[in-house]
Amino acid sequence: MREYEADTGRLHTFAREGRKEDPSSPLERRVHVFSLRRLQGLKCQSQDKGKMSWRPTYRSSKFRNVYGKVANREHCFDGIPITKNVHDNHFCAVNSKFLAVVTESAGGGSFIVIPLSQAGRLDSHYPKVCGHQGNVLDIKWNPFFENIIASCSEDTSVRVWEIPEGGLRRNMTEAVLELYGHSRRVGLVEWHPTTSGILFSAGYDYKILIWNLETGEPVKMIDCHTDVILSMSFNTDGSLLATSCKDKKLRVIEPRSGRVLQQASYKNHRVNRVVFLGNLKRLLTTGVSRWNTRQIALWDQEDLSMPIVEEDIDGLSGMLFPFYDADTHMLYLAGKGDGNIRYFEITTEKPYIQYLMEFRSPAPQKGLGVMPKHGLDVAACEVFRFYKLVTLKGLIEPISMIVPRRSDTYQEDIYPMTAGTEPALSASEWLSGIDRDPVLMSLKDGYHRPNQLVFKAPVKEKKSAVVNGIDLLENVPPRTENELLRMFFRQQDELRRLKEELTTKDVRIRQLELELNNLKNVSPKDV
């Protein structure tokens, strides 16, 4: 090695002095050629700085060294009977106050709500939200009312719950709102990103219902899918809705009219999940290639004829869940049953998707909850936080994505203005056709401003839904034996209630008839 370095130094001296020497050994010949090429490159670079150097260019990124940090054991949530349902959902929802997780239960569906301050081992008799008659399939916190959560279930209902401050003291069975409109089980719920009181639900009847929670009624039914809807995603102002479906098609829909603006049926990429990439006018989908490898694809939202970029990930079988951070333009990919989380940076120029790094863990994940931006630890330069469900251990562990910085001051370049907790529109304004960007907030001084809005639920007793003059429960036939039985028992309960009501009214009619006869038999003298 020392001899090689000496030969290199000698040949560099010859090159600088302009001397020519025919190297005798192959090693000297290789070093000599390398040195001359390097000097030629430096000379060209100094003569014309406008021309590209022979050196390769490296793309710099402030998020290249982002790393994942698992919370200490005392900050994890242990002893939770996480559901064993095989439905492809996260079964977890997080906001700055509470962590909600779908649990195993007998005789219906339930989920627990834990204040984030109560980390540690959970009591086996911890109270639950247990009003559903079937398994809970999805839960989502309202982005503007942090005590309001929506859930959907196999019992064909969507329910809205109000969690008291400090968490539950006893089991909660009464929902603020019970929304009946789907004829089959409901697999997805999504809140509108800028409007208070608008909720979307997607059922196995291939329909999406838009609920106005100010009235407790469905205001629109989107019926353009031919199979089960797998995922829904809104753009920034909520004017567009992207859906992926089991019919392998990707759709961009105008939600108020239900009109399909774009539709993709690209055969080389079977779409599973879709997410809007903020204001970039791009869509990203995860799916499976023709050779059954997991794959991601980038699309132009105005032209879905062919993806802009396709990239194979690996050959595993678990579904890939995409998470996009519009503030940092980072994309996180987490596979169901995997232990790792890959993250990329999205750009508007080629190669569009830049791989950054990978977080690895030996424990497989069933689902992941995501903390909103205003709940992150700004002092630790945390840009994203997952809550990972580990079913085998009954454990939920927080995973923080951190940008390593030496300074303790507020990092404005990684914390731009972000969507806050104030709605930009009311439900009536959005339904009238108004679109508005989210109300932004700064994370510089931390999140201390309380929301002054109060959620008011309408009084509602009706358990059927009529959209465009059609009763959704009565006009859709059941497709399976379980649905037939469920509808039969529901009709039996309705018949029993009507019979009891009829009997009560018959008794009341007899009483009124007797009183009327008594009045007729009374003589005028007695009066």
Side-chain angles (χ1 to χ4, degrees):
M1 187 66 186
R2 291 180 180 176
E3 184 179 355
Y4 174 80
E5 292 176 353
D7 291 339
T8 305
R10 182 166 56 86
L11 291 173
H12 278 210
T13 303
F14 291 160
R16 282 195 300 269
E17 295 176 355
R19 295 166 56 186
K20 295 182 179 179
E21 177 182 288
D22 185 17
S24 57
S25 66
L27 177 62
E28 290 180 343
R29 189 178 299 114
R30 288 196 298 271
V31 174
H32 182 69
V33 171
F34 174 78
S35 302
L36 289 178
R37 287 180 178 175
R38 182 174 181 274
L39 288 173
Q40 289 174 359
L42 291 172
K43 189 178 295 184
C44 293
Q45 186 179 7
S46 62
Q47 289 176 353
D48 187 4
K49 292 183 180 180
K51 294 182 180 179
M52 185 178 292
S53 170
W54 68 274
R55 294 186 179 188
T57 58
Y58 293 96
R59 182 180 167 275
S60 62
S61 171
K62 66 185 78 171
F63 304 110
R64 179 170 293 278
N65 296 315
V66 170
Y67 66 95
K69 180 182 179 182
V70 181
N72 297 329
R73 187 73 178 191
E74 58 267 19
H75 294 108
C76 297
F77 300 85
D78 199 1
I80 298 176
I82 301 171
T83 180
K84 297 178 183 176
N85 197 312
V86 296
H87 187 68
D88 286 325
N89 252 339
H90 296 296
F91 302 110
C92 179
V94 192
N95 64 14
S96 62
K97 288 184 178 181
F98 300 107
L99 166 67
V101 184
V102 180
T103 58
E104 280 289 302
S105 62
S110 66
F111 60 94
I112 60 173
V113 177
I114 313 168
L116 292 181
S117 58
Q118 295 182 10
R121 188 161 189 86
L122 200 70
D123 184 13
S124 58
H125 300 291
Y126 196 86
K128 299 178 180 179
V129 180
C130 49
H132 283 286
Q133 281 78 45
N135 292 328
V136 177
L137 299 181
D138 195 15
I139 49 177
K140 293 285 169 58
W141 289 104
N142 189 311
F144 310 113
F145 304 95
E146 296 197 312
N147 292 61
I148 300 296
I149 187 170
S151 63
C152 61
S153 167
E154 290 182 351
D155 63 4
T156 72
S157 73
V158 177
R159 304 193 184 200
V160 180
W161 312 83
E162 185 171 5
I163 307 300
E165 288 292 337
L168 300 177
R169 299 290 183 268
R170 61 183 65 87
N171 285 348
M172 179 178 283
T173 57
E174 294 295 327
V176 175
L177 274 176
E178 295 183 15
L179 308 174
Y180 291 88
H182 290 280
S183 61
R184 303 182 70 188
R185 59 180 176 171
V186 187
L188 291 171
V189 286
E190 287 287 346
W191 294 94
H192 193 273
T194 62
T195 308
S196 62
I198 294 292
L199 180 67
F200 286 64
S201 64
Y204 276 59
D205 52 4
Y206 314 155
K207 295 175 177 59
I208 296 175
L209 292 183
I210 305 176
W211 301 90
N212 181 1
L213 301 188
E214 293 179 358
T215 62
E217 298 291 337
V219 292
K220 181 66 184 176
M221 180 176 66
I222 300 174
D223 188 10
C224 60
H225 299 85
T226 59
D227 212 324
V228 177
I229 299 154
L230 299 177
S231 68
M232 297 187 289
S233 177
F234 290 96
N235 64 343
T236 304
D237 61 359
S239 60
L240 295 177
L241 173 68
T243 63
S244 61
C245 185
K246 210 170 181 180
D247 61 7
K248 305 173 185 177
K249 292 182 180 179
L250 171 66
R251 294 174 176 86
V252 176
I253 303 169
E254 191 179 43
R256 279 183 291 252
S257 64
R259 186 164 54 96
V260 179
L261 303 179
Q262 291 287 329
Q263 180 172 303
S265 54
Y266 186 62
K267 295 183 179 179
N268 291 343
H269 177 77
R270 299 197 299 273
V271 177
N272 288 331
R273 289 290 187 270
V274 60
V275 62
F276 262 103
L277 300 183
N279 289 323
L280 300 180
K281 293 188 176 181
R282 297 281 192 272
L283 291 166
L284 187 127
T285 59
T286 64
V288 182
S289 70
R290 181 177 288 182
W291 296 273
N292 287 329
T293 59
R294 295 198 295 189
Q295 191 179 58
I296 58 175
L298 186 67
W299 308 76
D300 183 352
Q301 73 179 34
E302 297 177 354
D303 182 14
L304 299 183
S305 59
M306 185 173 292
I308 301 172
V309 175
E310 294 177 82
E311 187 170 333
D312 291 338
I313 301 300
D314 54 34
L316 300 180
S317 59
M319 184 173 288
L320 277 177
F321 294 107
F323 302 90
Y324 180 68
D325 183 2
D327 297 336
T328 60
H329 302 294
M330 286 182 66
L331 171 73
Y332 301 86
L333 292 180
K336 185 176 180 180
D338 298 356
N340 58 346
I341 300 173
R342 300 176 178 89
Y343 36 104
F344 305 77
E345 190 171 7
I346 305 296
T347 60
T348 55
E349 301 175 352
K350 289 185 178 181
Y352 302 112
I353 302 174
Q354 185 76 29
Y355 174 77
L356 294 176
M357 210 176 289
E358 182 177 356
F359 167 80
R360 292 180 177 272
S361 171
Q365 58 219 7
K366 183 178 183 66
L368 292 165
V370 175
M371 173 64 74
K373 275 286 182 175
H374 60 264
L376 299 180
D377 185 1
V378 177
C381 294
E382 184 184 27
V383 292
F384 216 75
R385 189 192 302 168
F386 293 101
Y387 284 79
K388 176 179 174 180
L389 274 61
V390 184
T391 310
L392 298 177
K393 300 179 181 179
L395 180 70
I396 299 177
E397 53 182 17
I399 302 172
S400 299
M401 296 296 170
I402 297 174
V403 179
R405 294 285 174 94
R406 293 181 180 178
S407 175
D408 294 333
T409 58
Y410 179 72
Q411 308 293 316
E412 293 187 3
D413 58 332
I414 62 175
Y415 293 116
M417 296 287 285
T418 187
T421 58
E422 294 183 10
L425 295 165
S426 65
S428 56
E429 287 176 331
W430 183 78
L431 291 171
S432 66
I434 301 174
D435 290 318
R436 202 172 291 161
D437 287 333
V439 179
L440 302 181
M441 63 177 288
S442 173
L443 302 179
K444 185 172 184 178
D445 299 325
Y447 177 70
H448 299 294
R449 181 177 53 186
N451 196 334
Q452 301 297 328
L453 299 173
V454 178
F455 182 80
K456 294 181 180 180
V459 177
K460 186 187 175 190
E461 297 180 357
K462 186 179 178 182
K463 289 195 174 182
S464 64
V466 178
V467 176
N468 299 332
I470 301 174
D471 193 321
L472 300 178
L473 288 178
E474 296 295 332
N475 288 276
V476 181
R479 290 187 170 89
T480 64
E481 184 178 352
N482 288 334
E483 291 175 16
L484 181 63
L485 288 173
R486 194 178 297 119
M487 186 172 287
F488 171 75
F489 288 125
R490 187 165 55 204
Q491 290 176 348
Q492 291 296 313
D493 292 338
E494 184 71 12
L495 287 173
R496 192 179 301 110
R497 186 184 64 80
L498 291 173
K499 285 180 180 179
E500 291 174 356
E501 187 177 346
L502 186 61
T503 303
T504 305
K505 289 182 177 180
D506 286 340
V507 172
R508 181 60 180 161
I509 289 172
R510 291 194 193 99
Q511 290 175 351
L512 292 173
E513 287 177 348
L514 289 173
E515 291 178 5
L516 184 60
N517 290 332
N518 291 335
L519 289 173
K520 287 181 179 179
N521 294 331
V522 174
S523 62
K525 293 180 181 181
D526 296 336
V527 176

